[in-house]
């Protein structure tokens, strides 16, 4: 029923829908189209369903809009989509906050951002350790100030 939701969740192998086709045609980054997950399954599912519903309603209107079509180049159309889509993401999130409560959604968003930050830091550490010659021990951290994000001594 919601191809964008199914594709975002990695469920099944449904044919790409017109939204994904247009995003690929104009070179729209996935971060501009898809929602960030919070880690709270109910919030993520509801957000994706609402956002997908909004996009499926408005995207045909955007694609048929003479102003959008007259932009001429995929790059200009991509830029226009990047101006439009945040409004629908915010509208979907506002609806989720109304349904599930502001505090719950904001707490899940913070937890999700923290988890993504930790994953990025771990990938960076793993990449840097992978660049060390074989047999080199990892560097010792003596002071808490040697940690990323820690205040200086």
């Amino acid at each position: 029923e919601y191809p964008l939701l199914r594709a975002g969740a990695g469920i099944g192998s449904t044919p790409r829908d017109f939204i994904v086709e247009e995003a690929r045609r104009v070179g729209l980054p996935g971060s501009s189209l898809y929602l960030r997950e919070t880690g709270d399954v109910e919030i993520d599912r509801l957000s994706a369903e609402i956002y997908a519903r909004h996009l499926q309603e408005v995207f045909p209107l955007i694609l048929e809009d003479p102003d959008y079509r007259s932009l001429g180049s995929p790059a200009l159309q991509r830029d226009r989509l990047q101006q439009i889509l945040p409004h629908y993401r915010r509208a979907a999130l506002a609806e989720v906050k109304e349904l599930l409560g502001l505090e719950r959604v904001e707490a899940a968003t913070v937890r999700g951002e923290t988890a993504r930050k930790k994953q990025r830091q771990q990938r960076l550490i793993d990449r840097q350790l992978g660049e060390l010659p074989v047999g080199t021990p990892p560097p010792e951290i003596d002071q808490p100030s040697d940690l990323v994000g820690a205040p200086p001594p």
Side-chain angles (χ1 to χ4, degrees), residues 8-153:
I11 300 171
S13 58
T14 60
R16 290 193 307 245
D17 63 294
F18 65 98
I19 296 171
V20 174
E21 289 293 334
E22 182 66 5
R24 288 191 178 163
R25 186 187 72 77
V26 300
L28 187 69
S31 61
S32 294
L33 181 62
Y34 298 107
L35 299 173
R36 287 184 174 217
E37 293 182 351
T38 65
D40 182 314
V41 175
E42 184 178 13
I43 291 173
D44 292 341
R45 181 193 55 75
L46 187 58
S47 298
E49 287 176 358
I50 292 170
Y51 183 54
R53 186 182 68 235
H54 287 301
L55 288 184
Q56 288 178 344
E57 291 170 1
V58 75
F59 229 82
L61 300 175
I62 294 170
L63 296 179
E64 294 169 5
D65 181 49
D67 291 335
Y68 179 79
R69 294 169 63 117
S70 71
L71 288 172
S73 77
L76 292 173
Q77 291 173 326
R78 178 198 60 228
D79 293 346
R80 182 67 181 129
L81 287 175
Q82 287 180 314
Q83 293 171 346
I84 295 170
L85 293 176
H87 299 288
Y88 292 97
R89 272 197 302 275
R90 284 193 297 272
L93 188 57
E95 205 170 322
V96 170
K97 287 177 181 177
E98 185 177 314
L99 292 169
L100 299 180
L102 176 66
E103 297 80 17
R104 178 177 174 190
V105 174
E106 287 183 349
T109 302
V110 169
R111 283 192 310 271
E113 288 295 328
T114 301
R116 279 188 291 282
K117 182 178 179 181
K118 286 181 181 179
Q119 288 172 348
R120 282 191 304 270
Q121 288 174 341
Q122 187 60 51
R123 281 194 305 270
L124 177 62
I125 290 169
D126 291 345
R127 191 172 334 131
Q128 289 174 341
L129 289 176
E131 293 173 0
L132 292 174
V134 176
T136 304
E140 300 265 340
I141 299 176
D142 295 327
Q143 301 293 326
S145 63
D146 291 342
L147 298 173
V148 175

